Amino acid sequence: MMNSRIIEIVVGMFVAIGLGAFFFLAMYVSSSSAGSSSGYTVSARFENIGSLKTRSPVTMSGVLVGRVDTVSYDMERYEAVVTMTIQEDFNAIPTDTTASVYTAGLLGEQYVALEPGGEEEYLKEGDEISLTQSALVLEKVIGQVLFSKAEEGAEDNTDADEGF
Amino acid sequence: MWVLDKLQAIGKSSLGIFERFGRATIFLFHVLSGIGSLITRPQLLVCQLFFVGVLSLLIILISGLFVGMVLALQGYYILSHFGAEQTLGVMVAASLVRELGPVVSALLFSGRAGSALTAEIGLMRATEQLSGIEMMAVNPIHRIIAPRFWAGVISMPLLASLFSSLGVLGGYFVGVLLLGVDDGAFWSQMQSKLDFYDDVLNGVIKSIIFGFAVTWIAIFEGYDAIPTSEGVSRATTRTVVYSAFAILGLDFVLTALMFGN
């Protein structure tokens, strides 16, 4: 009888620490996306969204306020349409808010940053953010820098020619 | 004629494989129908949980710890080239929770517990203990096999969770305490990049499926073994080999389904 009691106690401990490990993985190693389901959705149109994807973060002043729901393309206006879910707690975002696509770090993931405007009216379910700023494409920026450098170089050369 | 002989040999062996798979499936249904006897006698399940789960703990915990430590060492070496040591925690935790936890613990489980189940059931058959139980009007599948099967299915996700957790702690030990990665960045990056539903829960579902497959193979090979010493030894070998195939093959399919897009 004693023996079976010990086995039961050990099995109980095994199940308990197994479940404990699962909760450790749930609470400390990962974060839940359950909170994103409750909230309201707004959409925004961008010329270029870079590599923005579903579940990319939406932030205000760097604080996470929501997630990107869908990314689609509007064939009539040739623009990308991004819908995002904002958490319920952040329900006082002015209608003239600017949405921009930024990159976290030099090679990091892309996210939507919201910068609030000064309107008295707030965004509601289904509203569209009209002020947007597209993602910077690194190649375009580098191309522009190279182009302007080349122009400067050409001007220097003509100056030198005139000096003779 | 030579060609016909070869064709006949191929046909015979493939029919044999199908027949064996069919028998394994019918056997599985008999085992699953035995769940009622476990509800009336949970003592049997607890006893098997001890032999299948608790006795596998040591190898799972130690392997998990060392796998996590090696991941942190190798990951640090590569990531430091890009100045991205901060993401070491993400790398260690993601690879453990998604792949290595379920897969390696299932491979260890098949070697530690699966082979033991096959040998035990095979020897019971060889020494006609199963027939003896049947003579006493007790269904051996319900009394002997079903508790072992469910013990395997229940133990596997618990063991895989422990493997992943110990691996993360091992990675923390090497990455933060030995190599000097920032403590806060290690945990916060890990937490923000890993999703509970996408990563942790999918890993647990994987390990339940692996536990199902490994235990099914183990008990069927034992039950189906030729009742001789040689037959039991062959069945034990087959358990480990088939389990490895099943785990790695299923892992590819499950990964493609869960993380494919």
Side-chain angles (χ1 to χ4, degrees):
Chain A
M1 216 56 230
M2 199 56 210
N3 193 22
S4 85
R5 185 176 154 76
I6 291 171
I7 286 183
E8 278 169 11
I9 291 171
V10 174
V11 168
M13 276 162 59
F14 165 63
V15 174
I17 64 164
L19 291 177
F22 178 69
F23 278 111
F24 169 76
L25 292 178
M27 304 310 292
Y28 290 97
V29 175
S30 67
S31 54
S32 167
S33 58
S36 66
S37 55
S38 64
Y40 58 100
T41 52
V42 294
S43 63
R45 292 166 177 277
F46 293 94
E47 255 174 48
N48 190 334
I49 56 162
S51 63
L52 199 70
K53 281 193 276 299
T54 315
R55 294 206 16 85
S56 292
V58 178
T59 63
M60 288 179 82
S61 312
V63 178
L64 184 79
V65 297
R67 297 259 177 206
V68 170
D69 266 343
T70 57
V71 173
S72 56
Y73 190 68
D74 181 356
M75 274 311 279
E76 279 172 16
R77 289 168 61 175
Y78 301 113
E79 280 172 336
V81 183
V82 174
T83 59
M84 44 203 146
T85 304
I86 312 284
Q87 288 166 31
E88 274 174 315
D89 312 351
F90 307 97
N91 55 2
I93 301 173
T95 47
D96 61 344
T97 294
T98 312
S100 336
V101 180
Y102 287 141
T103 312
L106 189 61
L107 301 166
E109 58 176 350
Q110 288 189 302
Y111 64 97
V112 179
L114 301 180
E115 282 141 52
E119 281 283 337
E120 294 289 312
E121 279 181 42
Y122 301 129
L123 285 173
K124 307 183 296 292
E125 168 75 33
D127 276 359
E128 187 180 313
I129 298 173
S130 48
L131 299 170
T132 61
Q133 192 190 326
S134 291
L136 277 184
V137 180
L138 206 58
E139 287 90 331
K140 260 190 190 172
V141 179
I142 293 173
Q144 277 168 357
V145 170
L146 286 179
F147 191 69
S148 61
K149 281 282 174 201
E151 257 183 356
E152 273 176 28
E155 276 172 17
D156 287 350
N157 276 348
T158 49
D159 288 349
D161 284 344
E162 279 165 11
F164 273 109
Chain B
M1 277 306 104
W2 180 81
V3 177
L4 279 183
D5 284 350
K6 286 290 160 201
L7 280 177
Q8 191 199 352
I10 294 172
K12 195 179 168 189
S13 61
S14 34
L15 279 178
I17 292 170
F18 277 117
E19 195 218 322
R20 211 168 135 73
F21 191 72
R23 258 186 298 147
T25 312
I26 293 169
F27 175 72
L28 179 67
F29 278 114
H30 283 298
V31 173
L32 291 178
S33 70
I35 195 168
S37 67
L38 289 185
I39 297 166
T40 50
R41 300 195 61 182
Q43 186 65 43
L44 291 173
L45 180 67
V46 171
C47 194
Q48 288 310 316
L49 270 175
F50 178 77
F51 286 113
V52 169
V54 176
L55 295 184
S56 308
L57 261 183
L58 194 66
I59 185 172
I60 294 282
L61 294 182
I62 293 177
S63 312
L65 192 67
F66 280 113
V67 166
M69 283 157 76
V70 167
L71 270 178
L73 275 178
Q74 294 284 11
Y76 184 82
Y77 174 73
I78 300 287
L79 291 173
S80 64
H81 283 302
F82 304 104
E85 298 96 328
Q86 314 272 303
T87 53
L88 184 69
V90 185
M91 202 211 83
V92 171
S95 42
L96 274 168
V97 168
R98 285 177 158 207
E99 293 292 338
L100 288 173
V103 171
V104 177
S105 57
L107 288 173
L108 292 171
F109 182 77
S110 78
R112 166 65 190 74
S115 57
L117 282 179
T118 307
E120 191 186 10
I121 296 171
L123 272 175
M124 278 184 180
R125 199 172 170 78
T127 53
E128 300 192 335
Q129 292 179 45
L130 292 184
S131 315
I133 290 173
E134 213 165 357
M135 290 299 283
M136 294 188 282
V138 175
N139 187 339
I141 290 185
H142 292 184
R143 181 75 169 70
I144 302 291
I145 313 258
R148 287 168 171 75
F149 176 75
W150 287 109
V153 175
I154 294 170
S155 301
M156 197 56 243
L158 298 173
L159 291 171
S161 299
L162 280 166
F163 186 97
S164 302
S165 306
L166 260 284
V168 170
L169 292 179
Y172 172 78
F173 177 73
V174 168
V176 176
L177 303 182
L178 294 185
L179 296 172
V181 175
D182 183 59
D183 190 1
F186 186 88
W187 289 110
S188 67
Q189 292 249 3
M190 188 193 300
Q191 220 171 36
S192 68
K193 291 291 190 302
L194 259 69
D195 185 73
F196 174 67
Y197 293 96
D198 283 352
D199 297 317
V200 176
L201 219 55
N202 274 343
V204 171
I205 291 169
K206 258 188 183 179
S207 64
I208 293 173
I209 293 173
F210 292 162
F212 192 93
V214 168
T215 331
W216 179 23
I217 291 171
I219 55 174
F220 177 70
E221 288 294 348
Y223 195 76
D224 201 51
I226 301 163
T228 58
S229 320
E230 199 197 351
V232 173
S233 90
R234 280 193 182 178
T236 313
T237 311
R238 273 205 304 269
T239 296
V240 177
V241 174
Y242 290 172
S243 296
F245 282 149
I247 292 163
L248 298 171
L250 276 173
D251 182 50
F252 172 73
V253 175
L254 290 173
T255 303
L257 284 177
M258 290 168 171
F259 308 114
N261 43 4

